[in-house]
Amino acid sequence: MDVPLNHVVIPANYQELFLALNRFPDAVIYAGGTHLIGRQENNILNLPPILLCLDRLTELHRITRTEHYLEIGSMVNLNKIINLGKTVPKAFRICLENIAGFQVRNIATIGGNISCRPYLLDIPAPLAAFDAQYELRSSPNTSRWVSAFRFHSSAEYKTIGNQEIITRIRLPLHQWDYSVYKKLYSDTYSNSGILVFLAKTGKNILSEIKIIIKSGALIRNKEGEDILNGKNLPLNRKTADDFIENWKDFFKKLPEESEYFKYALLNIIKENVYNLSSTS
């Protein structure tokens, strides 16, 4: 029997979920629904014919904490994560707090933000910076884990929802001594930029630095990071300048990004790397 237009399927467990996906491969996954509700033309909702609502899957609403990581179900709303307080890494918490308003965050889910298409939204940038992993489930008994950065930098991001469902997010709770989250606002999802700047220090040594940029995709300059890894603190001016020059060269290889966007990003990177440098 065919499903009528604008029908909502609400599975109660993984078995029902994947039976529905097999029967209706063109169904659109409905999590918090904030992105779908935003599809309005002349104040008329433009919803897909078949929606697959995940709200009754209790496993996807759970948060589990261990000594080393948070495991967050994909249907957990953003305010629930914020309410965990300092358990949540600072840059990630700031990202969540700056998404829409309180009422929207009560509805919007972490999984919905991660898997939203065609635009890359805010949450993937800090998750990639903190080495988060996603559980992708393709059947009631089959799943795999993939890193956030790899997921958003590959074709998997474009096929999610057709073949696999994001069910859990595993967020490491490693200590970062320096953590910055910056968003460059614009009037469209696709043009908003984000920069996450992280650093680990110990015994006056910069043991690790990581910079993740989000524009239309996630961007990382591993070669630039390696210039600073293992350097003594405070950084001397020449090392900092070499690092900035490397970023200038890196940005030249990104012709798809606007000059204004690259200029703004470079200024943020300069500000933070010079904070780790001596004043001499």
Side-chain angles (χ1 to χ4, degrees):
M1 179 178 176
D2 292 335
V3 171
L5 294 179
N6 298 121
H7 189 80
V8 180
V9 181
I10 311 177
N13 52 53
Y14 285 145
Q15 185 174 3
E16 291 182 7
L17 169 64
F18 287 99
L19 282 173
L21 273 176
N22 288 332
R23 184 180 178 189
F24 311 114
D26 294 328
V28 173
I29 303 298
Y30 186 97
T34 53
H35 181 66
L36 289 175
I37 292 172
R39 296 180 178 180
Q40 295 192 36
E41 296 179 8
N42 299 320
N43 294 320
I44 299 174
L45 283 178
N46 182 21
L47 295 176
I50 304 174
L51 293 175
L52 188 55
C53 179
L54 306 181
D55 195 57
R56 290 178 62 195
L57 293 165
T58 57
E59 299 94 330
L60 305 187
H61 292 270
R62 294 173 182 161
I63 298 178
T64 304
R65 180 183 176 181
T66 71
E67 182 180 356
H68 300 293
Y69 59 81
L70 276 177
E71 206 165 82
I72 306 169
S74 59
M75 285 292 289
V76 173
N77 71 59
L78 307 188
N79 277 338
K80 189 173 181 179
I81 303 171
I82 293 170
N83 289 340
L84 295 174
K86 292 185 178 180
T87 299
V88 181
K90 179 182 176 182
F92 182 41
R93 192 171 69 249
I94 293 172
C95 170
L96 297 177
E97 291 170 346
N98 282 275
I99 294 176
F102 184 87
Q103 289 82 3
V104 173
R105 293 197 301 270
N106 266 341
I107 302 171
T109 65
I110 182 171
N113 191 285
I114 289 169
S115 56
C116 182
R117 297 189 305 270
Y119 307 121
L120 185 64
L121 300 185
D122 294 1
I123 289 177
L127 287 182
F130 288 113
D131 296 319
Q133 292 184 310
Y134 304 156
E135 181 186 52
L136 305 182
R137 187 169 293 276
S138 56
S139 78
N141 302 308
T142 306
S143 65
R144 64 191 177 98
W145 290 91
V146 62
S147 74
F149 189 85
R150 177 190 162 194
F151 176 80
H152 292 289
S153 304
S154 70
E156 291 175 282
Y157 174 60
K158 298 180 180 179
T159 61
I160 194 71
N162 302 100
Q163 301 172 359
E164 297 174 299
I165 302 291
I166 296 176
T167 49
R168 287 182 291 174
I169 295 88
R170 183 172 289 170
L171 177 63
L173 297 177
H174 302 155
Q175 180 63 43
W176 291 86
D177 304 286
Y178 190 89
S179 175
V180 172
Y181 173 90
K182 293 285 188 180
K183 182 169 182 176
L184 286 71
Y185 289 93
S186 75
D187 56 354
T188 65
Y189 284 126
S190 56
N191 291 331
S192 295
I194 288 171
L195 184 144
V196 182
F197 189 111
L198 305 176
K200 288 182 181 178
T201 63
K203 297 182 179 179
N204 295 323
I205 293 176
L206 180 58
S207 58
E208 185 177 358
I209 187 171
K210 185 181 292 184
I211 299 173
I212 297 291
I213 294 169
K214 172 250 165 183
S215 57
L218 293 185
I219 300 168
R220 184 181 181 187
N221 178 9
K222 189 68 170 59
E223 178 184 316
E225 294 170 1
D226 288 341
I227 292 174
L228 299 187
N229 288 334
K231 293 295 189 293
N232 292 329
L233 291 174
L235 297 173
N236 65 58
R237 190 62 181 238
K238 183 180 185 306
T239 299
D241 289 344
D242 289 344
F243 177 76
I244 296 303
E245 287 302 314
N246 179 275
W247 270 99
K248 289 180 180 178
D249 292 338
F250 179 79
F251 282 141
K252 290 176 183 178
K253 302 172 186 176
L254 302 175
E256 67 277 9
E257 306 295 346
S258 72
E259 291 304 313
Y260 172 80
F261 182 63
K262 290 186 282 189
Y263 176 80
L265 290 172
L266 188 62
N267 280 341
I268 297 171
I269 294 170
K270 281 182 181 179
E271 176 186 356
N272 287 285
V273 77
Y274 289 145
N275 284 341
L276 301 173
S277 305
S278 64
T279 56
S280 58

